[in-house]
Amino acid sequence: LFFELLLPWFHNPVSALALCLWAQQYELATELTARFAAFEPTLDMLKQLDQLVHLLESPVFSRLRLQLLEPRKHPALLKCLLGLAMLLPQAGAFNILRQRVQVVQSGLLLEAQCP
């Protein structure tokens, strides 16, 4: 079912990325993010990526944010978000992603200190 839904969403790559993240298809989301780097980013694409980052802060993506607390179980999710941060200009959405990654780093430090 996911792949049947995904095909029409590819007409808008950022929407396809949002669907992949929502459906917990993090490896595919990471691949899409890497492919975004091959394109010359348009203003429209950057705006959509900005909106996606803000959408990731909504209740719909709370499961995704909780999975960030387990980066060893979901490395592709972290890689995808880091890739998004590298694509975005250093502005509001970039700062939101940076703060999320800092929380992940703190969790990794706590995990390393607990036997």
Side-chain angles (χ1 to χ4, degrees), residues 27 31 40 46 52 58 64 115:
E27 290 80 13
E31 181 63 31
E40 182 68 33
L46 291 174
L52 174 59
S58 71
L64 177 145

Side-chain angles (χ1 to χ4, degrees), residues 20 29 34-36 42 46 59-60 67-68 82-84 88 94 98 107 113:
C20 289
R35 290 182 185 234
F36 289 166
T42 63
L46 291 174
V60 172
Q67 288 175 342
L68 279 172
L82 288 171
L84 279 177
L88 290 168
F94 173 84
R98 188 181 67 198
Q113 290 178 354

